[in-house]
Amino acid sequence: NAGVTQTPKFQVLKTGQSMTLQCAQDMNHNSMYWYRQDPGMGLRLIYYSASEGTTDKGEVPNGYNVSRLNKREFSLRLESAAPSQTSVYFCASNEGPEAFFGQGTRLTVV
Amino acid sequence: RKEVEQDPGPFNVPEGATVAFNCTYSNSASQSFFWYRQDCRKEPKLLMSVYSSGNEDGRFTAQLNRASQYISLLIRDSKLSDSATYLCVVPPFSGSARQLTFGSGTQLTVLP
């Protein structure tokens, strides 16, 4: 039972480069989320998807785009990475009250 | 006012101590609340839920005060392994945008 799988686990980008963070869940959940976590800031919501085909902005969406490819997958794209996007990114999903998280992606933008 | 606010911490306590964290929420319509635990450099995981007045699980007690709109987490007889960040979470409820709102977390270090 894989739960929520995120790739990659680590990534270093140069300023201006683009990349996509992948997330997949095998629990048949409708809701999926992307968060970023910075020291002392807690988890901040970037985007979320309440169901396949729908996405909504969260607290900090600027500089990111998302795609809910199907019910299983929810990807996060950085079109032109900036040092301010250095962070740990978590994908999560839920159906009921408990959320399940991926292991996180540690992204450094230099 | 933020939707969810937590004690900033950090809390440094000796092994065996009792420690309590608070979390305040702004939306009086919220029906249920959760505490998640996050170990260093790991993903958050569900610790306890609070649906009514409270919930107890071994050394951990979570309580809800609807009148004052806060929840608390009490840890008795602290162990070194309790060292982590504790996140308060307000999940989706009927009529709201379906998103999870996290507090910023309270860092606990249990000292030998």
Side-chain angles (χ1 to χ4, degrees), chain B:
Chain B
R1 182 182 176 183
K2 287 185 179 178
E3 286 189 58
V4 181
E5 292 195 75
Q6 288 189 242
D7 283 347
F11 286 71
N12 298 316
V13 302
E15 210 172 354
T18 295
V19 61
F21 316 131
N22 284 332
C23 171
T24 59
Y25 60 96
S26 60
N27 194 326
S28 59
S30 297
Q31 296 295 311
S32 56
F33 308 86
F34 300 87
W35 285 101
Y36 278 67
R37 171 192 169 126
Q38 185 176 24
D39 293 306
C40 186
R41 302 177 72 81
K42 299 281 190 180
E43 72 275 21
K45 292 184 179 178
L46 181 66
L47 176 66
M48 293 188 73
S49 58
V50 188
Y51 288 103
S52 54
S53 59
N55 187 14
E56 185 172 329
D57 183 5
R59 296 182 295 108
F60 296 81
T61 301
Q63 292 190 313
L64 169 64
N65 184 316
R66 289 195 186 276
S68 301
Q69 292 185 212
Y70 75 86
I71 62 172
S72 62
L73 178 66
L74 180 78
I75 305 175
R76 290 181 297 277
D77 189 23
S78 300
K79 310 291 185 193
L80 296 176
S81 57
D82 294 334
S83 296
T85 296
Y86 292 85
L87 301 162
C88 168
V89 177
V90 179
F93 59 93
S94 177
S96 76
R98 291 190 62 78
Q99 56 179 293
L100 297 171
T101 303
F102 283 82
S104 57
T106 300
Q107 186 177 343
L108 171 67
T109 302
V110 181
L111 305 169

Side-chain angles (χ1 to χ4, degrees), chain A residues 29 48 98:
Chain A
H29 289 166
Y48 68 102
E98 181 177 359

Side-chain angles (χ1 to χ4, degrees), chain A residues 21-84:
Chain A
L21 280 63
Q22 307 286 353
C23 176
Q25 50 92 9
D26 62 3
M27 295 171 282
N28 204 36
H29 289 166
N30 278 306
S31 298
M32 297 186 73
Y33 310 81
W34 275 105
Y35 293 90
R36 61 176 288 173
Q37 187 172 38
D38 303 297
M41 298 292 290
L43 284 159
R44 291 187 293 169
L45 184 65
I46 304 172
Y47 271 93
Y48 68 102
S49 171
S51 62
E52 182 181 351
T54 68
T55 61
D56 288 284
K57 295 179 180 179
E59 181 185 355
V60 288
N62 291 343
Y64 306 94
N65 285 300
V66 290
S67 295
R68 183 73 183 269
L69 304 170
N70 46 55
K71 194 171 186 179
R72 289 187 66 247
E73 298 171 290
F74 189 37
S75 61
L76 178 72
R77 183 159 178 85
L78 287 70
E79 290 292 350
S80 178
S84 61

